[in-house]
Amino acid sequence: MLGSQLRRLREAAHITREAAGYEIRSSESKISRLELGRVGFKVRDVADLLTLYGVTDEREREPLLSMADAANAASWWHGYHDVLPSWFANYVGLETAANLIRTYEVQFIPGLLQTPDYTRAVVARGNTALDADVERRVAIRQERQHVLSHDENPPRFWAVLDEAAVRRPMGSPEIMRRQLSHLLEMMDRPNVTVQLLPFECGAQAADAGAFTILRFAEQDLPDVVYLEHLSGALYLDKPDDVDVYLQVMERISVNALTPALTAEALGKLINEF
């Protein structure tokens, strides 16, 4: 998030990456990596860049400098660096900071709503990782789920699930029954909304696959679209890109079953496993 903010400020000031790199005694490529969140932030560098970009009001500088300081602080997920890809660690940080998380899933129950056994079945499928690694990956997902139960202002989580995601067997029938029961329990939380997109709805505008949109409480921070692929992920925050996904999310939310009808359908599906 800090990287995208710095990029926005640089572009608004009509300053090239080369000029920005020179200001912090570095290079154009270093600015590019900073803006993409691929390297750490030095508070001094961020302060110098803000001055270069004309951000001199302390009320505007302080939140960004605090973000730089927080980015360097060790977070719980850093302890899983051996099994957590760097491209996904960035997502966990954004997920923790978001106040609204909207996701469309095609293959799996969303990670924030998975039981440990279901996660274990997902991680272990076709995976040659050691048992210890599998358990650490399960632990990461369980730790992430705490974001939905914060005592103060937990984010709103709104998921639209393709019917395939709830019908695809992961592990034993008992694991699936417990998973679907857990999904129903999570839907009782005031900050969790789940909608089922039935097969009968046919092809959808989201035929490109799963995606997540994260929104933040700070009004000057843009929404971020997260797209995962086999070897990494994309983070989109330009308004034109984000708007495409927001429109798709709205359309599939309208086509999907209401939460009440979703709960009814899931209750029936439990008995089919």
Side-chain angles (χ1 to χ4, degrees):
M1 290 306 302
L2 178 56
S4 64
Q5 285 294 89
L6 291 174
R7 187 196 70 220
R8 181 181 63 79
L9 291 169
R10 178 182 59 76
E11 292 175 346
H14 305 291
I15 293 172
T16 65
R17 289 193 182 95
E18 183 179 9
Y22 180 81
E23 181 68 18
I24 62 170
R25 303 153 294 281
S26 189
S27 63
E28 178 183 358
S29 62
K30 171 68 175 295
I31 296 298
S32 179
R33 293 195 300 274
L34 279 173
E35 292 179 351
L36 291 171
R38 293 177 178 171
V39 293
F41 297 92
K42 293 181 179 179
V43 175
R44 184 187 66 177
D45 289 345
V46 173
D48 290 345
L49 290 173
L50 291 177
T51 300
L52 177 65
Y53 301 158
V55 182
T56 56
D57 188 323
E58 287 302 319
R59 290 172 297 181
E60 297 180 44
R61 292 169 64 91
E62 194 279 330
L64 295 168
L65 293 174
S66 294
M67 288 174 68
D69 193 44
N72 293 323
S75 300
W76 66 261
W77 56 88
H78 291 170
Y80 294 94
H81 64 88
D82 55 324
V83 293
L84 188 66
S86 59
W87 49 264
F88 190 68
N90 293 335
Y91 173 79
V92 176
L94 293 174
E95 183 179 73
T96 302
N99 72 336
L100 172 61
I101 304 167
R102 299 184 70 179
T103 189
Y104 172 61
E105 282 289 349
V106 181
Q107 293 198 71
F108 307 113
I109 305 297
L112 292 182
L113 303 178
Q114 292 179 7
T115 64
D117 283 339
Y118 181 92
T119 300
R120 196 170 286 111
V122 170
V123 172
R125 78 192 196 293
N127 196 324
T128 57
L130 298 175
D131 289 346
D133 286 348
V134 171
E135 290 307 312
R136 283 175 63 73
R137 294 171 198 265
V138 172
I140 291 171
R141 200 154 299 181
Q142 291 297 298
E143 187 71 33
R144 281 175 53 207
Q145 294 177 4
H146 292 162
V147 73
L148 295 181
S149 56
H150 285 167
D151 291 336
E152 296 183 5
N153 300 320
R156 184 182 177 196
F157 183 71
W158 184 355
V160 178
L161 309 184
D162 189 273
E163 187 173 343
V166 297
R167 285 192 175 275
R168 179 173 286 105
M170 285 292 160
S172 67
E174 180 59 26
I175 287 175
M176 288 303 300
R177 286 193 291 269
R178 287 200 299 264
Q179 173 60 71
L180 295 178
S181 296
H182 177 69
L183 189 55
L184 285 170
E185 291 172 5
M186 292 299 293
M187 290 172 63
D188 286 336
R189 297 193 178 201
N191 61 319
V192 175
T193 300
V194 177
Q195 293 181 264
L196 185 65
L197 189 65
F199 290 143
E200 63 194 46
C201 289
Q204 295 297 310
D207 56 3
F211 64 92
T212 299
I213 306 172
L214 302 116
R215 179 164 293 175
F216 307 89
E218 297 80 0
Q219 293 185 356
D220 59 337
L221 294 180
D223 291 352
V224 174
V225 175
Y226 173 77
L227 302 168
E228 191 171 309
H229 53 82
L230 290 176
S231 59
L234 295 175
Y235 295 84
L236 309 177
D237 64 357
K238 293 184 177 180
D240 288 346
D241 293 332
V242 173
D243 284 347
V244 171
Y245 285 90
L246 284 171
Q247 291 173 23
V248 169
M249 184 64 84
E250 291 299 328
R251 286 200 293 272
I252 61 177
S253 297
V254 169
N255 291 337
L257 298 179
T258 64
L261 289 175
T262 294
E264 182 179 326
L266 291 175
K268 294 178 180 177
L269 184 58
I270 289 174
N271 298 322
E272 295 183 22
F273 282 99

